[in-house]
Amino acid sequence: GRWVKRSSSGEARFSGNTEGGGYYLEELTGPDNVGFSIYVNGNFYRASVPPSSLQLGRWHHMVGTYDGAIIRLYLDSVERSSQLVSGPISYANSPPLCIGGESQTDPLGVGSCSVGYAPEQLDDAFIFNRALTPAEVQLIYQRQSKTP
């Protein structure tokens, strides 16, 4: 999860490690494309909402969780989307974890992070080795609350 403040619309990969698998938080152009995605059983699954859910110029707290059965997206401490999925998150290779970009691996297997996505500010990024509970998401939001 993390705080994000967008200054323009367009594609933005906020954080993740996705080269052929993994997980990520992002905003893509098109409907229902602000979301948290995971790669399970050979497919990407996502919990998502419309891009209008993120107001430009305002801080938003985005958190994605997956407990092995349900993928969830929280915006500003409220669960906004979920999807049933079963199985472990899988990775095709060992991409780097990228914050503010997209992970990539070159033909020699060297990982890097891309740049060039829509302008944004990120703050207080965090990753846990387990799914947060709704109460934990709320507590983090309250303790780190930001003003526009």
Side-chain angles (χ1 to χ4, degrees), residues 35-72:
F36 176 57
S37 297
I38 58 172
Y39 191 73
V40 175
N41 300 323
N43 294 297
F44 276 104
Y45 297 89
R46 74 189 272 120
S48 61
V49 295
S52 60
S53 301
L54 295 182
Q55 294 175 326
L56 296 179
R58 181 179 179 268
W59 283 104
H60 292 279
H61 191 242
M62 290 183 68
V63 176
T65 66
Y66 178 60
D67 61 8
I70 302 173
I71 180 175
R72 292 181 171 92

mmCIF file of all heavy atoms in Angstrom, residues 35-72:
data_model
loop_
_atom_site.group_PDB
_atom_site.id
_atom_site.type_symbol
_atom_site.label_atom_id
_atom_site.label_comp_id
_atom_site.label_asym_id
_atom_site.label_seq_id
_atom_site.Cartn_x
_atom_site.Cartn_y
_atom_site.Cartn_z
ATOM 1 N N GLY A 35 -6.456 -0.204 -9.705
ATOM 2 C CA GLY A 35 -6.625 -1.485 -9.046
ATOM 3 C C GLY A 35 -5.377 -2.113 -8.485
ATOM 4 O O GLY A 35 -4.269 -1.607 -8.611
ATOM 5 N N PHE A 36 -5.611 -3.258 -7.856
ATOM 6 C CA PHE A 36 -4.578 -4.122 -7.321
ATOM 7 C C PHE A 36 -4.699 -5.443 -8.059
ATOM 8 O O PHE A 36 -5.777 -6.039 -8.106
ATOM 9 C CB PHE A 36 -4.777 -4.322 -5.811
ATOM 10 C CG PHE A 36 -3.814 -5.286 -5.186
ATOM 11 C CD1 PHE A 36 -2.448 -5.081 -5.278
ATOM 12 C CD2 PHE A 36 -4.269 -6.386 -4.482
ATOM 13 C CE1 PHE A 36 -1.555 -5.963 -4.695
ATOM 14 C CE2 PHE A 36 -3.392 -7.269 -3.889
ATOM 15 C CZ PHE A 36 -2.026 -7.056 -3.988
ATOM 16 N N SER A 37 -3.604 -5.897 -8.668
ATOM 17 C CA SER A 37 -3.614 -7.122 -9.459
ATOM 18 C C SER A 37 -2.619 -8.123 -8.912
ATOM 19 O O SER A 37 -1.567 -7.746 -8.407
ATOM 20 C CB SER A 37 -3.256 -6.828 -10.917
ATOM 21 O OG SER A 37 -4.206 -5.982 -11.505
ATOM 22 N N ILE A 38 -2.964 -9.403 -9.043
ATOM 23 C CA ILE A 38 -2.074 -10.488 -8.648
ATOM 24 C C ILE A 38 -2.073 -11.536 -9.753
ATOM 25 O O ILE A 38 -3.018 -11.647 -10.526
ATOM 26 C CB ILE A 38 -2.515 -11.132 -7.316
ATOM 27 C CG1 ILE A 38 -3.948 -11.666 -7.416
ATOM 28 C CG2 ILE A 38 -2.354 -10.148 -6.162
ATOM 29 C CD1 ILE A 38 -4.394 -12.481 -6.217
ATOM 30 N N TYR A 39 -1.000 -12.308 -9.816
ATOM 31 C CA TYR A 39 -0.862 -13.372 -10.813
ATOM 32 C C TYR A 39 -0.984 -14.704 -10.083
ATOM 33 O O TYR A 39 -0.134 -15.065 -9.269
ATOM 34 C CB TYR A 39 0.481 -13.254 -11.516
ATOM 35 C CG TYR A 39 0.627 -14.116 -12.735
ATOM 36 C CD1 TYR A 39 -0.032 -13.801 -13.925
ATOM 37 C CD2 TYR A 39 1.437 -15.247 -12.723
ATOM 38 C CE1 TYR A 39 0.116 -14.579 -15.058
ATOM 39 C CE2 TYR A 39 1.594 -16.030 -13.855
ATOM 40 C CZ TYR A 39 0.923 -15.696 -15.013
ATOM 41 O OH TYR A 39 1.069 -16.466 -16.141
ATOM 42 N N VAL A 40 -2.083 -15.436 -10.352
ATOM 43 C CA VAL A 40 -2.372 -16.703 -9.687
ATOM 44 C C VAL A 40 -2.810 -17.716 -10.738
ATOM 45 O O VAL A 40 -3.641 -17.396 -11.599
ATOM 46 C CB VAL A 40 -3.482 -16.529 -8.623
ATOM 47 C CG1 VAL A 40 -3.871 -17.862 -8.009
ATOM 48 C CG2 VAL A 40 -3.042 -15.555 -7.543
ATOM 49 N N ASN A 41 -2.270 -18.919 -10.676
ATOM 50 C CA ASN A 41 -2.667 -20.012 -11.575
ATOM 51 C C ASN A 41 -2.608 -19.627 -13.047
ATOM 52 O O ASN A 41 -3.485 -19.967 -13.831
ATOM 53 C CB ASN A 41 -4.077 -20.512 -11.225
ATOM 54 C CG ASN A 41 -4.162 -21.045 -9.812
ATOM 55 O OD1 ASN A 41 -3.239 -21.672 -9.313
ATOM 56 N ND2 ASN A 41 -5.277 -20.779 -9.152
ATOM 57 N N GLY A 42 -1.591 -18.859 -13.439
ATOM 58 C CA GLY A 42 -1.401 -18.507 -14.841
ATOM 59 C C GLY A 42 -2.220 -17.348 -15.358
ATOM 60 O O GLY A 42 -2.231 -17.089 -16.557
ATOM 61 N N ASN A 43 -2.933 -16.634 -14.474
ATOM 62 C CA ASN A 43 -3.759 -15.503 -14.888
ATOM 63 C C ASN A 43 -3.612 -14.334 -13.927
ATOM 64 O O ASN A 43 -3.355 -14.534 -12.739
ATOM 65 C CB ASN A 43 -5.242 -15.900 -14.913
ATOM 66 C CG ASN A 43 -5.539 -16.936 -15.966
ATOM 67 O OD1 ASN A 43 -5.378 -16.678 -17.151
ATOM 68 N ND2 ASN A 43 -5.951 -18.108 -15.542
ATOM 69 N N PHE A 44 -3.807 -13.112 -14.457
ATOM 70 C CA PHE A 44 -3.878 -11.935 -13.599
ATOM 71 C C PHE A 44 -5.320 -11.753 -13.139
ATOM 72 O O PHE A 44 -6.255 -11.875 -13.931
ATOM 73 C CB PHE A 44 -3.410 -10.663 -14.327
ATOM 74 C CG PHE A 44 -1.930 -10.473 -14.299
ATOM 75 C CD1 PHE A 44 -1.157 -10.736 -15.416
ATOM 76 C CD2 PHE A 44 -1.300 -10.028 -13.136
ATOM 77 C CE1 PHE A 44 0.215 -10.560 -15.374
ATOM 78 C CE2 PHE A 44 0.072 -9.847 -13.094
ATOM 79 C CZ PHE A 44 0.834 -10.114 -14.218
ATOM 80 N N TYR A 45 -5.499 -11.459 -11.865
ATOM 81 C CA TYR A 45 -6.797 -11.139 -11.277
ATOM 82 C C TYR A 45 -6.670 -9.772 -10.629
ATOM 83 O O TYR A 45 -5.611 -9.433 -10.103
ATOM 84 C CB TYR A 45 -7.196 -12.172 -10.214
ATOM 85 C CG TYR A 45 -7.380 -13.548 -10.782
ATOM 86 C CD1 TYR A 45 -6.305 -14.422 -10.865
ATOM 87 C CD2 TYR A 45 -8.621 -13.966 -11.251
ATOM 88 C CE1 TYR A 45 -6.465 -15.693 -11.402
ATOM 89 C CE2 TYR A 45 -8.790 -15.234 -11.788
ATOM 90 C CZ TYR A 45 -7.706 -16.097 -11.861
ATOM 91 O OH TYR A 45 -7.863 -17.347 -12.396
ATOM 92 N N ARG A 46 -7.754 -8.989 -10.651
ATOM 93 C CA ARG A 46 -7.657 -7.650 -10.077
ATOM 94 C C ARG A 46 -8.938 -7.231 -9.379
ATOM 95 O O ARG A 46 -10.029 -7.614 -9.764
ATOM 96 C CB ARG A 46 -7.218 -6.634 -11.124
ATOM 97 C CG ARG A 46 -8.199 -6.235 -12.131
ATOM 98 C CD ARG A 46 -7.576 -5.390 -13.264
ATOM 99 N NE ARG A 46 -7.561 -3.987 -12.962
ATOM 100 C CZ ARG A 46 -6.463 -3.242 -12.877
ATOM 101 N NH1 ARG A 46 -5.292 -3.764 -13.042
ATOM 102 N NH2 ARG A 46 -6.544 -1.966 -12.626
ATOM 103 N N ALA A 47 -8.730 -6.451 -8.346
ATOM 104 C CA ALA A 47 -9.812 -5.737 -7.674
ATOM 105 C C ALA A 47 -9.650 -4.300 -8.148
ATOM 106 O O ALA A 47 -8.575 -3.716 -7.989
ATOM 107 C CB ALA A 47 -9.677 -5.849 -6.163
ATOM 108 N N SER A 48 -10.688 -3.718 -8.744
ATOM 109 C CA SER A 48 -10.500 -2.402 -9.370
ATOM 110 C C SER A 48 -11.731 -1.521 -9.252
ATOM 111 O O SER A 48 -12.831 -1.984 -8.981
ATOM 112 C CB SER A 48 -10.123 -2.579 -10.839
ATOM 113 O OG SER A 48 -11.148 -3.258 -11.532
ATOM 114 N N VAL A 49 -11.490 -0.235 -9.470
ATOM 115 C CA VAL A 49 -12.523 0.804 -9.453
ATOM 116 C C VAL A 49 -12.251 1.758 -10.611
ATOM 117 O O VAL A 49 -11.160 1.747 -11.192
ATOM 118 C CB VAL A 49 -12.540 1.573 -8.110
ATOM 119 C CG1 VAL A 49 -12.927 0.648 -6.963
ATOM 120 C CG2 VAL A 49 -11.212 2.240 -7.843
ATOM 121 N N PRO A 50 -13.201 2.644 -10.958
ATOM 122 C CA PRO A 50 -12.973 3.604 -12.041
ATOM 123 C C PRO A 50 -11.879 4.623 -11.680
ATOM 124 O O PRO A 50 -11.703 4.962 -10.505
ATOM 125 C CB PRO A 50 -14.314 4.321 -12.191
ATOM 126 C CG PRO A 50 -15.309 3.470 -11.510
ATOM 127 C CD PRO A 50 -14.577 2.718 -10.452
ATOM 128 N N PRO A 51 -11.137 5.126 -12.692
ATOM 129 C CA PRO A 51 -10.110 6.140 -12.433
ATOM 130 C C PRO A 51 -10.651 7.385 -11.733
ATOM 131 O O PRO A 51 -9.914 8.057 -11.011
ATOM 132 C CB PRO A 51 -9.581 6.486 -13.827
ATOM 133 C CG PRO A 51 -9.870 5.277 -14.643
ATOM 134 C CD PRO A 51 -11.153 4.713 -14.093
ATOM 135 N N SER A 52 -11.935 7.692 -11.896
ATOM 136 C CA SER A 52 -12.510 8.870 -11.237
ATOM 137 C C SER A 52 -12.486 8.735 -9.716
ATOM 138 O O SER A 52 -12.715 9.707 -8.997
ATOM 139 C CB SER A 52 -13.943 9.101 -11.722
ATOM 140 O OG SER A 52 -14.753 7.974 -11.425
ATOM 141 N N SER A 53 -12.186 7.544 -9.210
ATOM 142 C CA SER A 53 -12.091 7.332 -7.763
ATOM 143 C C SER A 53 -10.893 8.057 -7.159
ATOM 144 O O SER A 53 -10.854 8.291 -5.958
ATOM 145 C CB SER A 53 -11.975 5.835 -7.455
ATOM 146 O OG SER A 53 -13.091 5.144 -7.947
ATOM 147 N N LEU A 54 -9.901 8.382 -7.988
ATOM 148 C CA LEU A 54 -8.727 9.131 -7.537
ATOM 149 C C LEU A 54 -8.844 10.561 -8.040
ATOM 150 O O LEU A 54 -8.660 10.821 -9.225
ATOM 151 C CB LEU A 54 -7.425 8.527 -8.063
ATOM 152 C CG LEU A 54 -7.039 7.141 -7.585
ATOM 153 C CD1 LEU A 54 -5.703 6.732 -8.185
ATOM 154 C CD2 LEU A 54 -6.980 7.078 -6.076
ATOM 155 N N GLN A 55 -9.150 11.503 -7.168
ATOM 156 C CA GLN A 55 -9.247 12.905 -7.568
ATOM 157 C C GLN A 55 -7.839 13.460 -7.781
ATOM 158 O O GLN A 55 -6.949 13.257 -6.950
ATOM 159 C CB GLN A 55 -9.953 13.718 -6.495
ATOM 160 C CG GLN A 55 -11.395 13.338 -6.303
ATOM 161 C CD GLN A 55 -12.005 14.089 -5.131
ATOM 162 O OE1 GLN A 55 -11.365 14.382 -4.136
ATOM 163 N NE2 GLN A 55 -13.281 14.413 -5.264
ATOM 164 N N LEU A 56 -7.652 14.158 -8.894
ATOM 165 C CA LEU A 56 -6.359 14.775 -9.166
ATOM 166 C C LEU A 56 -6.057 15.834 -8.119
ATOM 167 O O LEU A 56 -6.942 16.549 -7.661
ATOM 168 C CB LEU A 56 -6.344 15.391 -10.565
ATOM 169 C CG LEU A 56 -6.490 14.425 -11.732
ATOM 170 C CD1 LEU A 56 -6.471 15.193 -13.044
ATOM 171 C CD2 LEU A 56 -5.410 13.369 -11.722
ATOM 172 N N GLY A 57 -4.783 15.936 -7.717
ATOM 173 C CA GLY A 57 -4.345 16.947 -6.765
ATOM 174 C C GLY A 57 -4.684 16.653 -5.318
ATOM 175 O O GLY A 57 -4.475 17.499 -4.452
ATOM 176 N N ARG A 58 -5.181 15.468 -5.022
ATOM 177 C CA ARG A 58 -5.552 15.094 -3.655
ATOM 178 C C ARG A 58 -4.842 13.798 -3.275
ATOM 179 O O ARG A 58 -4.721 12.895 -4.083
ATOM 180 C CB ARG A 58 -7.057 14.894 -3.570
ATOM 181 C CG ARG A 58 -7.566 14.524 -2.203
ATOM 182 C CD ARG A 58 -9.101 14.367 -2.205
ATOM 183 N NE ARG A 58 -9.582 13.990 -0.902
ATOM 184 C CZ ARG A 58 -9.757 12.727 -0.507
ATOM 185 N NH1 ARG A 58 -9.487 11.728 -1.321
ATOM 186 N NH2 ARG A 58 -10.205 12.469 0.706
ATOM 187 N N TRP A 59 -4.376 13.708 -2.027
ATOM 188 C CA TRP A 59 -3.743 12.481 -1.545
ATOM 189 C C TRP A 59 -4.801 11.394 -1.340
ATOM 190 O O TRP A 59 -5.876 11.653 -0.798
ATOM 191 C CB TRP A 59 -3.029 12.722 -0.214
ATOM 192 C CG TRP A 59 -1.726 13.435 -0.367
ATOM 193 C CD1 TRP A 59 -1.487 14.752 -0.089
ATOM 194 C CD2 TRP A 59 -0.502 12.881 -0.835
ATOM 195 N NE1 TRP A 59 -0.178 15.049 -0.368
ATOM 196 C CE2 TRP A 59 0.457 13.920 -0.819
ATOM 197 C CE3 TRP A 59 -0.097 11.620 -1.268
ATOM 198 C CZ2 TRP A 59 1.775 13.725 -1.215
ATOM 199 C CZ3 TRP A 59 1.205 11.426 -1.665
ATOM 200 C CH2 TRP A 59 2.130 12.471 -1.642
ATOM 201 N N HIS A 60 -4.485 10.178 -1.796
ATOM 202 C CA HIS A 60 -5.335 9.006 -1.590
ATOM 203 C C HIS A 60 -4.483 7.876 -1.030
ATOM 204 O O HIS A 60 -3.343 7.675 -1.453
ATOM 205 C CB HIS A 60 -5.982 8.544 -2.899
ATOM 206 C CG HIS A 60 -6.986 9.497 -3.428
ATOM 207 N ND1 HIS A 60 -8.284 9.544 -2.955
ATOM 208 C CD2 HIS A 60 -6.889 10.462 -4.370
ATOM 209 C CE1 HIS A 60 -8.938 10.486 -3.600
ATOM 210 N NE2 HIS A 60 -8.118 11.060 -4.457
ATOM 211 N N HIS A 61 -5.067 7.138 -0.116
ATOM 212 C CA HIS A 61 -4.401 5.986 0.481
ATOM 213 C C HIS A 61 -4.885 4.743 -0.247
ATOM 214 O O HIS A 61 -6.076 4.432 -0.226
ATOM 215 C CB HIS A 61 -4.773 5.925 1.972
ATOM 216 C CG HIS A 61 -3.977 4.960 2.759
ATOM 217 N ND1 HIS A 61 -4.538 3.881 3.398
ATOM 218 C CD2 HIS A 61 -2.663 4.932 3.033
ATOM 219 C CE1 HIS A 61 -3.603 3.223 4.038
ATOM 220 N NE2 HIS A 61 -2.454 3.837 3.836
ATOM 221 N N MET A 62 -3.989 4.035 -0.938
ATOM 222 C CA MET A 62 -4.338 2.831 -1.683
ATOM 223 C C MET A 62 -3.680 1.630 -1.031
ATOM 224 O O MET A 62 -2.480 1.646 -0.775
ATOM 225 C CB MET A 62 -3.856 2.913 -3.134
ATOM 226 C CG MET A 62 -4.604 3.898 -3.989
ATOM 227 S SD MET A 62 -4.032 3.858 -5.706
ATOM 228 C CE MET A 62 -4.582 2.243 -6.231
ATOM 229 N N VAL A 63 -4.469 0.588 -0.780
ATOM 230 C CA VAL A 63 -3.950 -0.644 -0.197
ATOM 231 C C VAL A 63 -4.562 -1.817 -0.951
ATOM 232 O O VAL A 63 -5.778 -1.860 -1.165
ATOM 233 C CB VAL A 63 -4.303 -0.757 1.302
ATOM 234 C CG1 VAL A 63 -3.845 -2.099 1.864
ATOM 235 C CG2 VAL A 63 -3.688 0.388 2.085
ATOM 236 N N GLY A 64 -3.717 -2.760 -1.342
ATOM 237 C CA GLY A 64 -4.176 -4.007 -1.932
ATOM 238 C C GLY A 64 -3.800 -5.145 -1.005
ATOM 239 O O GLY A 64 -2.692 -5.158 -0.470
ATOM 240 N N THR A 65 -4.720 -6.088 -0.777
ATOM 241 C CA THR A 65 -4.416 -7.252 0.051
ATOM 242 C C THR A 65 -4.856 -8.522 -0.658
ATOM 243 O O THR A 65 -5.771 -8.510 -1.488
ATOM 244 C CB THR A 65 -5.123 -7.198 1.431
ATOM 245 O OG1 THR A 65 -6.535 -7.288 1.257
ATOM 246 C CG2 THR A 65 -4.758 -5.929 2.184
ATOM 247 N N TYR A 66 -4.184 -9.613 -0.320
ATOM 248 C CA TYR A 66 -4.565 -10.939 -0.814
ATOM 249 C C TYR A 66 -4.233 -11.956 0.269
ATOM 250 O O TYR A 66 -3.088 -12.050 0.704
ATOM 251 C CB TYR A 66 -3.829 -11.267 -2.116
ATOM 252 C CG TYR A 66 -4.154 -12.642 -2.638
ATOM 253 C CD1 TYR A 66 -5.460 -12.993 -2.970
ATOM 254 C CD2 TYR A 66 -3.162 -13.594 -2.797
ATOM 255 C CE1 TYR A 66 -5.763 -14.248 -3.446
ATOM 256 C CE2 TYR A 66 -3.458 -14.858 -3.279
ATOM 257 C CZ TYR A 66 -4.762 -15.186 -3.601
ATOM 258 O OH TYR A 66 -5.067 -16.437 -4.061
ATOM 259 N N ASP A 67 -5.236 -12.693 0.719
ATOM 260 C CA ASP A 67 -5.057 -13.654 1.808
ATOM 261 C C ASP A 67 -5.052 -15.106 1.335
ATOM 262 O O ASP A 67 -5.169 -16.021 2.131
ATOM 263 C CB ASP A 67 -6.148 -13.451 2.864
ATOM 264 C CG ASP A 67 -7.552 -13.669 2.311
ATOM 265 O OD1 ASP A 67 -7.706 -14.124 1.159
ATOM 266 O OD2 ASP A 67 -8.508 -13.365 3.056
ATOM 267 N N GLY A 68 -4.896 -15.326 0.032
ATOM 268 C CA GLY A 68 -4.912 -16.673 -0.520
ATOM 269 C C GLY A 68 -6.299 -17.090 -1.004
ATOM 270 O O GLY A 68 -6.456 -18.143 -1.617
ATOM 271 N N ALA A 69 -7.312 -16.251 -0.720
ATOM 272 C CA ALA A 69 -8.678 -16.570 -1.137
ATOM 273 C C ALA A 69 -9.414 -15.377 -1.741
ATOM 274 O O ALA A 69 -10.273 -15.557 -2.600
ATOM 275 C CB ALA A 69 -9.480 -17.098 0.052
ATOM 276 N N ILE A 70 -9.096 -14.158 -1.277
ATOM 277 C CA ILE A 70 -9.783 -12.956 -1.764
ATOM 278 C C ILE A 70 -8.768 -11.836 -1.990
ATOM 279 O O ILE A 70 -7.939 -11.563 -1.124
ATOM 280 C CB ILE A 70 -10.848 -12.464 -0.754
ATOM 281 C CG1 ILE A 70 -11.885 -13.560 -0.485
ATOM 282 C CG2 ILE A 70 -11.548 -11.210 -1.275
ATOM 283 C CD1 ILE A 70 -12.860 -13.208 0.627
ATOM 284 N N ILE A 71 -8.846 -11.212 -3.164
ATOM 285 C CA ILE A 71 -8.041 -10.021 -3.453
ATOM 286 C C ILE A 71 -8.934 -8.812 -3.155
ATOM 287 O O ILE A 71 -10.115 -8.804 -3.516
ATOM 288 C CB ILE A 71 -7.539 -10.025 -4.914
ATOM 289 C CG1 ILE A 71 -6.707 -8.781 -5.204
ATOM 290 C CG2 ILE A 71 -8.661 -10.170 -5.896
ATOM 291 C CD1 ILE A 71 -6.075 -8.776 -6.581
ATOM 292 N N ARG A 72 -8.359 -7.808 -2.456
ATOM 293 C CA ARG A 72 -9.139 -6.632 -2.054
ATOM 294 C C ARG A 72 -8.378 -5.355 -2.392
ATOM 295 O O ARG A 72 -7.156 -5.315 -2.281
ATOM 296 C CB ARG A 72 -9.407 -6.645 -0.551
ATOM 297 C CG ARG A 72 -10.328 -7.738 -0.095
ATOM 298 C CD ARG A 72 -10.556 -7.656 1.421
ATOM 299 N NE ARG A 72 -11.597 -8.558 1.854
ATOM 300 C CZ ARG A 72 -11.384 -9.805 2.264
ATOM 301 N NH1 ARG A 72 -10.164 -10.277 2.320
ATOM 302 N NH2 ARG A 72 -12.406 -10.564 2.624
#
